[in-house]
Amino acid sequence: MPYAQIYDQVAAWIPPTSRVLDLGTGDGAFLERLVKTNRVVGEGVELDAEHVTRCIERGLAVHQGDVMSGLDQYGNGAFDYILLLGTFQELKPSEQLVREALRVGRRLVVSFSNFGHIRVRWQLLVGGRTPVTDALPSPWFRTPNIHFFTILDFRDFCREMRLRHVASAYFNRRGFVRWFPNLRADIALCLLEAAPRV
Amino acid sequence: MTHAHQRLLQGDLQDQRLGRYTSDLGVTHTRTVTLPGIRTQSGYSFSQITLAYQTLGTLSPAQDNVVLVCHALSGDAHVAGLNPETGRPGWWDYHVGPGKAIDTSRFFVLSTNVLGGCGGSTGPSSVDPQTGRPYAMTFPPVTIRDMVAAQVRLLDHLRISKVFAVVGGSMGGMQALVWAVDYPHRVQTCIPIATCLAHTPMQIAFHEVGRQAIITDAQWNQGHYTAHRRPEHGLAVARMVGHVTYLSEFAMKTKFGRQLQREAKPEDLFPEFFAVESYLQYQGESFVKRFDPNSYLYITKALDRFDLLEGSPPHAALGRVKARFLVISFESDWLYPPAQARELVRTLKRANAVVTYLNLQTSYGHDSFLIQNPEFSRAVGHFLDAEYRRQRLPLKKTTQILGGTR
């Protein structure tokens, strides 16, 4: 997967000196990059103590905890951007999560594996088994994912949650996908904000 | 047996039986200094105070490498290195020294014995200059804020205007928090460990059991005991209760199991003398030799009284805080549980402080910060290192790269 390209896209969406909260920040490598190159004020939330220690080593401010309790630590509007890169599909209360993230931040950056990809459909239809692909590499009994959804599903969800797509980018093994993303993209990346009330 | 288990069985450095223990720092000395007095929160004015303190490492010309280490209930100024008289290591020798988490080859470490203590600082066993006799129970009630005010006097005396980091576990963590809140311009970073925003009824309750054990000991004599007739029994019981709260079920199970300490003797009340009983009795007896019963009353009460916010709304109390925090808790600590640390973190963060929070899986209970603990060591070491590098960046670059504080 072209993860470097995906991260480049996220970095391109985030203006310099923004305040960024990275949910599920891992060892902090990407957040450190944002801090250094985009000069953002960055903080992270991470569950794993070993990863948190790596973040500390990088000089990042990070909160050890799950995403919901992490968000709860912050006041309203504490951040400009909330990052949910690869974590959204692993988290249970999607609606509460989005509401809480938009309380703390102005915009969300979400990435997820597209369950509508042609290979996924093919494996399920012809093979009759839960698909295993580059973007969904683990078998059903080992995957951290609890939600399996397509790009179209996510659009419906955003409409229901009154989220506006500010920008989107889709990727497969070869890089950007422009046409028929729900069939051809392995990974979707969306920049979202609360839709203005009418 | 794994290394982790061996570390666990070793315990902390304060009262354990030590074989041959060598410290990288060699023998270290504690000094005492007489300082201008303070007015306590309770309104009592000391005309002057004495503080015992220890310094390790070298103060940098820019005075930007001061790390103030604050001790917990039973600690003292002797933080690391070997005591010249007893040969025993300081209570945090595992974590303070050259190349250790708090690296004395880089940092100038300063540690004091608290006001109200019995390790050389003014406390209930000191002589009241007005009466010429020990204060005993006429010693004024002290608070964590009073302890910090006394430390401020020492820093002024040493002409140190700013500390790079203030670090402490348990009661030491409370002092660290007070430093960051009450002296925001003098503190760069703050590492409160296994501590809380305010003492809970459960924490107060365990202390009250300890205090009752002391004051109901006939030898306590309203606090007027002599060196030969001290309420040692009461103090030992207090320490035993305390020690139970510092351990975890896992630590006790691993360390003692249901093992018997020895064969029954005819004079024993009961045929079984469990290893854990023997251990607690030893801890009690060892503690009595080095601690003053009245100090125990005053310090536990200072802990119980502790409330960082003291009723003011968080934003008003914490709005001026400038320090960057590393808050550490331990999953197995049931005396100062992680939930309390998270409450502290949340309060600090919602008042816009920059806080890193780490909850370690160390299974030794509240004492986890006093034992050999590589995960803990690494986190503290890395944090100090990263923050020290950040501090040394030119100001313009700092705001540019790191965007200052949120």
Side-chain angles (χ1 to χ4, degrees), chain B residues 294-328:
Chain B
N294 284 343
S295 261
Y296 196 87
L297 300 178
Y298 274 88
I299 296 177
T300 53
K301 206 71 194 184
L303 278 153
D304 292 348
R305 220 175 261 131
F306 178 68
D307 178 358
L308 185 66
L309 303 178
E310 291 184 356
S312 32
H315 260 279
L318 306 174
R320 296 181 309 140
V321 170
K322 288 202 157 43
R324 295 167 64 95
F325 293 83
L326 170 63
V327 176
I328 300 179

mmCIF file of all heavy atoms in Angstrom, chain B residues 294-328:
data_model
loop_
_atom_site.group_PDB
_atom_site.id
_atom_site.type_symbol
_atom_site.label_atom_id
_atom_site.label_comp_id
_atom_site.label_asym_id
_atom_site.label_seq_id
_atom_site.Cartn_x
_atom_site.Cartn_y
_atom_site.Cartn_z
ATOM 1 N N ASN B 294 6.061 11.498 65.866
ATOM 2 C CA ASN B 294 5.300 12.740 65.673
ATOM 3 C C ASN B 294 5.384 13.236 64.219
ATOM 4 O O ASN B 294 4.407 13.749 63.672
ATOM 5 C CB ASN B 294 5.799 13.836 66.625
ATOM 6 C CG ASN B 294 5.306 13.605 68.042
ATOM 7 O OD1 ASN B 294 4.361 12.844 68.262
ATOM 8 N ND2 ASN B 294 5.947 14.260 69.016
ATOM 9 N N SER B 295 6.550 13.085 63.617
ATOM 10 C CA SER B 295 6.674 13.449 62.205
ATOM 11 C C SER B 295 5.688 12.647 61.365
ATOM 12 O O SER B 295 5.086 13.158 60.425
ATOM 13 C CB SER B 295 8.094 13.159 61.691
ATOM 14 O OG SER B 295 8.856 14.328 61.672
ATOM 15 N N TYR B 296 5.544 11.364 61.728
ATOM 16 C CA TYR B 296 4.615 10.514 60.978
ATOM 17 C C TYR B 296 3.194 11.067 61.068
ATOM 18 O O TYR B 296 2.461 11.104 60.080
ATOM 19 C CB TYR B 296 4.666 9.072 61.511
ATOM 20 C CG TYR B 296 4.052 8.078 60.557
ATOM 21 C CD1 TYR B 296 4.801 7.496 59.552
ATOM 22 C CD2 TYR B 296 2.701 7.724 60.662
ATOM 23 C CE1 TYR B 296 4.233 6.597 58.660
ATOM 24 C CE2 TYR B 296 2.118 6.831 59.777
ATOM 25 C CZ TYR B 296 2.897 6.264 58.776
ATOM 26 O OH TYR B 296 2.334 5.378 57.889
ATOM 27 N N LEU B 297 2.833 11.542 62.261
ATOM 28 C CA LEU B 297 1.493 12.135 62.429
ATOM 29 C C LEU B 297 1.354 13.381 61.555
ATOM 30 O O LEU B 297 0.367 13.553 60.841
ATOM 31 C CB LEU B 297 1.250 12.518 63.899
ATOM 32 C CG LEU B 297 1.312 11.410 64.944
ATOM 33 C CD1 LEU B 297 1.088 11.998 66.346
ATOM 34 C CD2 LEU B 297 0.266 10.333 64.653
ATOM 35 N N TYR B 298 2.345 14.256 61.626
ATOM 36 C CA TYR B 298 2.255 15.541 60.909
ATOM 37 C C TYR B 298 2.282 15.354 59.391
ATOM 38 O O TYR B 298 1.548 16.009 58.664
ATOM 39 C CB TYR B 298 3.402 16.469 61.341
ATOM 40 C CG TYR B 298 3.044 17.257 62.577
ATOM 41 C CD1 TYR B 298 3.285 16.740 63.841
ATOM 42 C CD2 TYR B 298 2.427 18.497 62.470
ATOM 43 C CE1 TYR B 298 2.934 17.447 64.982
ATOM 44 C CE2 TYR B 298 2.074 19.220 63.601
ATOM 45 C CZ TYR B 298 2.331 18.689 64.860
ATOM 46 O OH TYR B 298 1.964 19.389 65.975
ATOM 47 N N ILE B 299 3.135 14.450 58.938
ATOM 48 C CA ILE B 299 3.265 14.304 57.477
ATOM 49 C C ILE B 299 2.047 13.592 56.891
ATOM 50 O O ILE B 299 1.547 13.973 55.836
ATOM 51 C CB ILE B 299 4.582 13.590 57.105
ATOM 52 C CG1 ILE B 299 5.764 14.458 57.540
ATOM 53 C CG2 ILE B 299 4.658 13.354 55.606
ATOM 54 C CD1 ILE B 299 7.117 13.830 57.289
ATOM 55 N N THR B 300 1.558 12.555 57.597
ATOM 56 C CA THR B 300 0.364 11.892 57.040
ATOM 57 C C THR B 300 -0.805 12.875 56.999
ATOM 58 O O THR B 300 -1.610 12.870 56.071
ATOM 59 C CB THR B 300 -0.049 10.644 57.864
ATOM 60 O OG1 THR B 300 -0.189 11.005 59.229
ATOM 61 C CG2 THR B 300 0.964 9.532 57.701
ATOM 62 N N LYS B 301 -0.875 13.757 58.008
ATOM 63 C CA LYS B 301 -1.961 14.739 58.017
ATOM 64 C C LYS B 301 -1.795 15.753 56.874
ATOM 65 O O LYS B 301 -2.782 16.182 56.273
ATOM 66 C CB LYS B 301 -1.978 15.457 59.377
ATOM 67 C CG LYS B 301 -3.323 16.010 59.771
ATOM 68 C CD LYS B 301 -4.302 14.914 60.122
ATOM 69 C CE LYS B 301 -5.720 15.455 60.169
ATOM 70 N NZ LYS B 301 -6.688 14.436 60.603
ATOM 71 N N ALA B 302 -0.555 16.095 56.580
ATOM 72 C CA ALA B 302 -0.306 17.009 55.449
ATOM 73 C C ALA B 302 -0.782 16.372 54.147
ATOM 74 O O ALA B 302 -1.387 17.028 53.292
ATOM 75 C CB ALA B 302 1.180 17.353 55.362
ATOM 76 N N LEU B 303 -0.536 15.068 54.018
ATOM 77 C CA LEU B 303 -0.984 14.344 52.829
ATOM 78 C C LEU B 303 -2.508 14.339 52.750
ATOM 79 O O LEU B 303 -3.099 14.572 51.698
ATOM 80 C CB LEU B 303 -0.484 12.895 52.883
ATOM 81 C CG LEU B 303 0.944 12.646 52.418
ATOM 82 C CD1 LEU B 303 1.520 11.422 53.091
ATOM 83 C CD2 LEU B 303 0.955 12.458 50.916
ATOM 84 N N ASP B 304 -3.136 14.054 53.902
ATOM 85 C CA ASP B 304 -4.602 13.975 53.931
ATOM 86 C C ASP B 304 -5.237 15.319 53.606
ATOM 87 O O ASP B 304 -6.306 15.396 53.015
ATOM 88 C CB ASP B 304 -5.078 13.513 55.312
ATOM 89 C CG ASP B 304 -4.692 12.070 55.580
ATOM 90 O OD1 ASP B 304 -4.266 11.390 54.631
ATOM 91 O OD2 ASP B 304 -4.803 11.636 56.741
ATOM 92 N N ARG B 305 -4.562 16.379 54.009
ATOM 93 C CA ARG B 305 -5.079 17.727 53.788
ATOM 94 C C ARG B 305 -4.924 18.152 52.323
ATOM 95 O O ARG B 305 -5.514 19.123 51.899
ATOM 96 C CB ARG B 305 -4.236 18.672 54.654
ATOM 97 C CG ARG B 305 -4.980 19.765 55.332
ATOM 98 C CD ARG B 305 -4.007 20.515 56.232
ATOM 99 N NE ARG B 305 -4.115 20.093 57.614
ATOM 100 C CZ ARG B 305 -3.078 19.752 58.373
ATOM 101 N NH1 ARG B 305 -1.850 19.778 57.899
ATOM 102 N NH2 ARG B 305 -3.275 19.395 59.623
ATOM 103 N N PHE B 306 -4.086 17.423 51.601
ATOM 104 C CA PHE B 306 -3.720 17.888 50.259
ATOM 105 C C PHE B 306 -4.913 17.969 49.314
ATOM 106 O O PHE B 306 -5.664 17.019 49.124
ATOM 107 C CB PHE B 306 -2.659 16.971 49.642
ATOM 108 C CG PHE B 306 -2.277 17.371 48.242
ATOM 109 C CD1 PHE B 306 -1.590 18.552 48.011
ATOM 110 C CD2 PHE B 306 -2.612 16.592 47.150
ATOM 111 C CE1 PHE B 306 -1.242 18.950 46.725
ATOM 112 C CE2 PHE B 306 -2.265 16.962 45.855
ATOM 113 C CZ PHE B 306 -1.585 18.145 45.653
ATOM 114 N N ASP B 307 -5.075 19.128 48.725
ATOM 115 C CA ASP B 307 -6.056 19.357 47.667
ATOM 116 C C ASP B 307 -5.436 20.434 46.775
ATOM 117 O O ASP B 307 -5.355 21.592 47.185
ATOM 118 C CB ASP B 307 -7.386 19.818 48.281
ATOM 119 C CG ASP B 307 -8.427 20.118 47.210
ATOM 120 O OD1 ASP B 307 -8.111 20.013 46.011
ATOM 121 O OD2 ASP B 307 -9.564 20.459 47.586
ATOM 122 N N LEU B 308 -4.980 20.032 45.610
ATOM 123 C CA LEU B 308 -4.231 20.958 44.755
ATOM 124 C C LEU B 308 -5.032 22.227 44.469
ATOM 125 O O LEU B 308 -4.498 23.323 44.455
ATOM 126 C CB LEU B 308 -3.837 20.267 43.443
ATOM 127 C CG LEU B 308 -2.948 21.086 42.498
ATOM 128 C CD1 LEU B 308 -1.575 21.335 43.104
ATOM 129 C CD2 LEU B 308 -2.798 20.400 41.149
ATOM 130 N N LEU B 309 -6.331 22.059 44.229
ATOM 131 C CA LEU B 309 -7.138 23.216 43.825
ATOM 132 C C LEU B 309 -7.669 23.995 45.024
ATOM 133 O O LEU B 309 -8.012 25.173 44.902
ATOM 134 C CB LEU B 309 -8.304 22.751 42.947
ATOM 135 C CG LEU B 309 -7.908 21.965 41.688
ATOM 136 C CD1 LEU B 309 -9.142 21.509 40.934
ATOM 137 C CD2 LEU B 309 -7.026 22.815 40.776
ATOM 138 N N GLU B 310 -7.761 23.341 46.171
ATOM 139 C CA GLU B 310 -8.278 23.973 47.393
ATOM 140 C C GLU B 310 -9.555 24.761 47.131
ATOM 141 O O GLU B 310 -9.711 25.909 47.566
ATOM 142 C CB GLU B 310 -7.192 24.847 48.037
ATOM 143 C CG GLU B 310 -6.062 23.994 48.604
ATOM 144 C CD GLU B 310 -5.004 24.781 49.348
ATOM 145 O OE1 GLU B 310 -5.091 26.018 49.381
ATOM 146 O OE2 GLU B 310 -4.100 24.138 49.915
ATOM 147 N N GLY B 311 -10.454 24.146 46.392
ATOM 148 C CA GLY B 311 -11.781 24.727 46.204
ATOM 149 C C GLY B 311 -11.907 25.717 45.065
ATOM 150 O O GLY B 311 -13.020 26.077 44.681
ATOM 151 N N SER B 312 -10.790 26.183 44.509
ATOM 152 C CA SER B 312 -10.952 27.151 43.411
ATOM 153 C C SER B 312 -11.238 26.405 42.107
ATOM 154 O O SER B 312 -10.841 25.257 41.939
ATOM 155 C CB SER B 312 -9.732 28.048 43.276
ATOM 156 O OG SER B 312 -8.563 27.382 43.630
ATOM 157 N N PRO B 313 -11.947 27.065 41.182
ATOM 158 C CA PRO B 313 -12.233 26.409 39.907
ATOM 159 C C PRO B 313 -10.934 26.126 39.162
ATOM 160 O O PRO B 313 -9.997 26.937 39.237
ATOM 161 C CB PRO B 313 -13.086 27.419 39.146
ATOM 162 C CG PRO B 313 -13.063 28.678 39.922
ATOM 163 C CD PRO B 313 -12.483 28.417 41.264
ATOM 164 N N PRO B 314 -10.831 24.957 38.486
ATOM 165 C CA PRO B 314 -9.575 24.556 37.851
ATOM 166 C C PRO B 314 -8.953 25.649 36.984
ATOM 167 O O PRO B 314 -7.741 25.860 37.031
ATOM 168 C CB PRO B 314 -9.972 23.351 36.998
ATOM 169 C CG PRO B 314 -11.205 22.820 37.630
ATOM 170 C CD PRO B 314 -11.899 23.968 38.278
ATOM 171 N N HIS B 315 -9.779 26.336 36.212
ATOM 172 C CA HIS B 315 -9.207 27.331 35.308
ATOM 173 C C HIS B 315 -8.525 28.472 36.064
ATOM 174 O O HIS B 315 -7.482 28.957 35.646
ATOM 175 C CB HIS B 315 -10.273 27.876 34.350
ATOM 176 C CG HIS B 315 -10.202 27.227 33.010
ATOM 177 N ND1 HIS B 315 -9.294 27.618 32.048
ATOM 178 C CD2 HIS B 315 -10.885 26.187 32.490
ATOM 179 C CE1 HIS B 315 -9.435 26.850 30.990
ATOM 180 N NE2 HIS B 315 -10.397 25.966 31.224
ATOM 181 N N ALA B 316 -9.136 28.863 37.195
ATOM 182 C CA ALA B 316 -8.536 29.932 37.991
ATOM 183 C C ALA B 316 -7.242 29.452 38.632
ATOM 184 O O ALA B 316 -6.234 30.160 38.649
ATOM 185 C CB ALA B 316 -9.530 30.379 39.053
ATOM 186 N N ALA B 317 -7.256 28.204 39.145
ATOM 187 C CA ALA B 317 -6.085 27.702 39.868
ATOM 188 C C ALA B 317 -4.955 27.324 38.911
ATOM 189 O O ALA B 317 -3.789 27.462 39.254
ATOM 190 C CB ALA B 317 -6.488 26.491 40.711
ATOM 191 N N LEU B 318 -5.315 26.810 37.739
ATOM 192 C CA LEU B 318 -4.290 26.240 36.857
ATOM 193 C C LEU B 318 -4.009 27.095 35.626
ATOM 194 O O LEU B 318 -3.157 26.743 34.807
ATOM 195 C CB LEU B 318 -4.713 24.836 36.410
ATOM 196 C CG LEU B 318 -5.067 23.852 37.516
ATOM 197 C CD1 LEU B 318 -5.597 22.551 36.935
ATOM 198 C CD2 LEU B 318 -3.859 23.560 38.399
ATOM 199 N N GLY B 319 -4.725 28.189 35.497
ATOM 200 C CA GLY B 319 -4.614 29.005 34.293
ATOM 201 C C GLY B 319 -3.211 29.529 34.025
ATOM 202 O O GLY B 319 -2.828 29.734 32.874
ATOM 203 N N ARG B 320 -2.424 29.724 35.088
ATOM 204 C CA ARG B 320 -1.102 30.333 34.900
ATOM 205 C C ARG B 320 0.006 29.290 34.721
ATOM 206 O O ARG B 320 1.168 29.642 34.545
ATOM 207 C CB ARG B 320 -0.770 31.224 36.092
ATOM 208 C CG ARG B 320 -1.706 32.424 36.243
ATOM 209 C CD ARG B 320 -1.285 33.269 37.450
ATOM 210 N NE ARG B 320 -1.125 32.425 38.643
ATOM 211 C CZ ARG B 320 -0.154 32.575 39.543
ATOM 212 N NH1 ARG B 320 0.739 33.520 39.400
ATOM 213 N NH2 ARG B 320 -0.085 31.788 40.590
ATOM 214 N N VAL B 321 -0.362 28.011 34.811
ATOM 215 C CA VAL B 321 0.647 26.950 34.751
ATOM 216 C C VAL B 321 1.372 26.959 33.411
ATOM 217 O O VAL B 321 0.758 27.041 32.359
ATOM 218 C CB VAL B 321 -0.015 25.570 34.986
ATOM 219 C CG1 VAL B 321 0.962 24.448 34.685
ATOM 220 C CG2 VAL B 321 -0.507 25.462 36.415
ATOM 221 N N LYS B 322 2.686 26.907 33.461
ATOM 222 C CA LYS B 322 3.492 26.952 32.240
ATOM 223 C C LYS B 322 4.226 25.637 31.981
ATOM 224 O O LYS B 322 4.649 25.370 30.871
ATOM 225 C CB LYS B 322 4.542 28.061 32.365
ATOM 226 C CG LYS B 322 3.966 29.447 32.278
ATOM 227 C CD LYS B 322 5.057 30.433 31.862
ATOM 228 C CE LYS B 322 4.479 31.671 31.223
ATOM 229 N NZ LYS B 322 3.310 32.198 31.911
ATOM 230 N N ALA B 323 4.401 24.852 33.039
ATOM 231 C CA ALA B 323 5.219 23.635 32.916
ATOM 232 C C ALA B 323 4.592 22.641 31.957
ATOM 233 O O ALA B 323 3.384 22.623 31.754
ATOM 234 C CB ALA B 323 5.375 22.990 34.296
ATOM 235 N N ARG B 324 5.437 21.820 31.364
ATOM 236 C CA ARG B 324 4.974 20.668 30.587
ATOM 237 C C ARG B 324 5.080 19.454 31.494
ATOM 238 O O ARG B 324 6.060 19.297 32.215
ATOM 239 C CB ARG B 324 5.833 20.507 29.335
ATOM 240 C CG ARG B 324 5.700 21.676 28.370
ATOM 241 C CD ARG B 324 6.780 21.654 27.314
ATOM 242 N NE ARG B 324 6.664 20.471 26.470
ATOM 243 C CZ ARG B 324 6.012 20.457 25.300
ATOM 244 N NH1 ARG B 324 5.453 21.546 24.835
ATOM 245 N NH2 ARG B 324 5.938 19.349 24.594
ATOM 246 N N PHE B 325 4.065 18.591 31.455
ATOM 247 C CA PHE B 325 3.959 17.517 32.439
ATOM 248 C C PHE B 325 4.196 16.138 31.839
ATOM 249 O O PHE B 325 3.821 15.871 30.697
ATOM 250 C CB PHE B 325 2.553 17.490 33.050
ATOM 251 C CG PHE B 325 2.227 18.680 33.904
ATOM 252 C CD1 PHE B 325 1.785 19.867 33.334
ATOM 253 C CD2 PHE B 325 2.355 18.618 35.282
ATOM 254 C CE1 PHE B 325 1.480 20.970 34.120
ATOM 255 C CE2 PHE B 325 2.055 19.711 36.070
ATOM 256 C CZ PHE B 325 1.624 20.886 35.487
ATOM 257 N N LEU B 326 4.785 15.265 32.653
ATOM 258 C CA LEU B 326 4.726 13.821 32.409
ATOM 259 C C LEU B 326 4.093 13.218 33.656
ATOM 260 O O LEU B 326 4.698 13.234 34.734
ATOM 261 C CB LEU B 326 6.122 13.229 32.186
ATOM 262 C CG LEU B 326 6.195 11.697 32.163
ATOM 263 C CD1 LEU B 326 5.381 11.121 31.013
ATOM 264 C CD2 LEU B 326 7.646 11.212 32.063
ATOM 265 N N VAL B 327 2.852 12.745 33.523
ATOM 266 C CA VAL B 327 2.160 12.122 34.651
ATOM 267 C C VAL B 327 2.276 10.606 34.476
ATOM 268 O O VAL B 327 1.974 10.085 33.406
ATOM 269 C CB VAL B 327 0.676 12.549 34.696
ATOM 270 C CG1 VAL B 327 -0.059 11.821 35.815
ATOM 271 C CG2 VAL B 327 0.562 14.061 34.878
ATOM 272 N N ILE B 328 2.740 9.924 35.517
ATOM 273 C CA ILE B 328 2.888 8.465 35.439
ATOM 274 C C ILE B 328 2.064 7.807 36.546
ATOM 275 O O ILE B 328 2.073 8.258 37.694
ATOM 276 C CB ILE B 328 4.369 8.039 35.579
ATOM 277 C CG1 ILE B 328 5.208 8.663 34.450
ATOM 278 C CG2 ILE B 328 4.514 6.514 35.559
ATOM 279 C CD1 ILE B 328 6.694 8.327 34.519
#
